[in-house]
């Protein structure tokens, strides 16, 4: 029997680079907001102890696939013989700053924690998730979060109800290259945790990306006609927040034929939040 689970996207409502560790990793502050645009992860349990990916993911060998790595990571805590076949229905663009790959991996961890009856607590699962990437733990955390460190220190915060127009420039932005850019500002003063307000902060990576990728700048400029537009993560996707679904859909209806986008609602909880305690 195959089980289907959502892997929701995230937006960085702001993203500050506040320093750099001795090992080269950047110290960040951000607010992560989950939205109801999602990939779908299909899992079919196996009894032969194998983790198998069904179908191809262009440019991603099976052994490098975060969903496969996530399942193999959790196997160490699972009953003998626990295996799974994994198939992805991808909706979220790769290299778009929406956290699609990280979310897919987190959904595998959450779902298999439940299906394999591993029952690891949330904090343990977050620590496992960090081995897969800095963005994976927030999807296990499963709610709007103020993030610090490399993104792994998470605190719950409240964000107002919102609908988002998200535009998807037709390109992938390499995260590592943006963080390595010599022109990147790395000394934004740290914020104290406070109630989140719309328009708070900025994305420190945005000036670097729009200088290198004029298409991102073009999408930002168009969306800025209707509200405060900013980039999520290291790009390429950009978004603006609206108070009602009608207002967001009215903006999307005006989108030029040369651009692609969607409307999504902010989520307070991950759909699989209750799969671990």
């Amino acid at each position: 029997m195959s089980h289907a689970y959502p892997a929701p996207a995230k937006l960085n409502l702001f993203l500050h680079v506040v320093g750099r560790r001795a090992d080269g990793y950047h110290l960040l502050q951000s607010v992560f907001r989950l939205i109801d645009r999602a990939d779908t992860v299909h899992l079919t349990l196996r009894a032969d102890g194998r983790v198998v990916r069904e179908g191809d993911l262009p440019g991603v060998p099976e052994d490098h696939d975060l969903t496969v790595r996530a399942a193999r990571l959790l196997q160490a805590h699972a009953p003998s013989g626990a295996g799974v076949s994994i198939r992805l229905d991808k909706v979220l663009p790769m290299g778009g700053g929406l956290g699609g790959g990280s979310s897919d991996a987190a959904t595998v961890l959450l779902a298999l924690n439940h299906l394999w009856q591993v029952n690891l607590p949330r904090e343990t699962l977050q620590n496992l998730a960090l081995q897969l990437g800095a963005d994976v733990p927030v999807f296990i955390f499963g709610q709007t979060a103020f993030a610090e460190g490399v993104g792994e220190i998470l605190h719950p915060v409240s964000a107002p109800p919102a609908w988002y127009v998200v535009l998807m420039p037709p390109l992938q932005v390499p995260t590592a290259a943006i963080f390595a850019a010599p022109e990147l500002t790395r000394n934004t003063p740290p914020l104290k945790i406070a109630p989140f307000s719309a328009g708070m902060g900025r994305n420190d990576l945005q000036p670097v990306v729009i200088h290198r990728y004029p298409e991102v700048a073009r999408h930002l400029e168009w969306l800025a006609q209707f509200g405060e537009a900013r980039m999520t993560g290291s790009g390429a996707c950009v978004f603006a927040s609206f108070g009602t679904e009608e207002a967001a859909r009215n903006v999307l209806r005006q989108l030029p034929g040369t651009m692609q986008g969607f409307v999504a609602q902010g989520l307070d909880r991950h759909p699989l939040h209750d799969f671990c305690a």
Side-chain angles (χ1 to χ4, degrees):
M1 180 182 295
S2 180
H3 307 264
Y5 300 99
K10 59 81 176 170
L11 297 175
N12 296 92
L13 301 187
F14 71 85
L15 177 56
H16 294 171
V17 182
V18 299
R20 200 172 192 175
R21 301 193 314 197
D23 61 8
Y25 280 94
H26 288 80
L27 296 171
L28 310 174
Q29 286 189 327
S30 186
V31 165
F32 286 94
R33 183 82 187 270
L34 303 183
I35 57 175
D36 65 358
R37 182 82 164 185
D39 291 340
T40 302
V41 180
H42 299 269
L43 302 176
T44 304
L45 296 186
R46 310 170 60 105
D48 60 3
R50 296 179 64 212
V51 174
V52 177
R53 184 180 73 181
E54 297 178 347
D56 291 328
L57 197 59
V60 182
E62 182 170 324
D63 286 346
H64 293 178
D65 189 322
L66 284 179
T67 61
V68 172
R69 291 175 56 201
R72 290 174 178 165
L73 197 58
L74 193 63
Q75 267 186 321
H77 304 269
S80 176
V84 68
S85 294
I86 304 169
R87 179 170 61 85
L88 288 179
D89 288 340
K90 288 294 292 179
V91 171
L92 306 177
M94 298 173 66
L98 297 175
S102 297
S103 185
D104 296 340
T107 286
V108 168
L109 288 175
L110 287 163
L112 291 181
N113 191 50
H114 174 71
L115 292 172
W116 282 345
Q117 298 182 339
V118 178
N119 299 324
L120 292 180
R122 192 176 312 279
E123 186 175 354
T124 303
L125 211 57
Q126 285 177 212
N127 289 335
L128 277 183
L130 186 58
Q131 297 180 44
L132 300 168
D135 274 357
V136 186
V138 74
F139 294 99
I140 305 294
F141 189 72
Q143 56 186 304
T144 308
F146 181 90
E148 298 183 280
V150 297
E152 86 288 8
I153 303 169
L154 301 165
H155 313 273
V157 293
S158 296
W163 291 83
Y164 299 95
V165 174
V166 182
L167 304 186
M168 302 181 292
L171 55 92
Q172 294 186 34
V173 175
T175 299
I178 299 305
F179 274 106
E183 68 268 33
L184 175 63
T185 299
R186 298 178 172 87
N187 59 356
T188 296
L191 296 171
K192 294 182 179 179
I193 301 172
F196 179 76
S197 60
M200 181 179 183
R202 62 179 182 270
N203 187 332
D204 284 339
L205 306 182
Q206 184 171 305
V208 178
V209 174
I210 63 176
H211 176 72
R212 297 184 177 199
Y213 298 93
E215 269 297 292
V216 176
R218 185 171 76 92
H219 283 68
L220 270 169
E221 184 178 358
W222 184 86
L223 192 55
Q225 301 173 90
F226 306 98
E228 183 174 2
R230 60 179 61 176
M231 194 177 75
T232 179
S234 56
C237 292
V238 303
F239 69 95
S241 172
F242 299 88
T244 66
E245 180 180 9
E246 181 182 6
R249 295 203 179 279
N250 182 54
V251 170
L252 191 67
R253 279 193 289 270
Q254 301 175 62
L255 192 66
T258 56
M259 295 182 181
Q260 288 189 315
F262 59 86
V263 167
Q265 187 176 20
L267 297 175
D268 292 330
R269 288 282 176 115
H270 192 290
L272 308 186
H273 186 269
D274 293 339
F275 277 23
C276 63

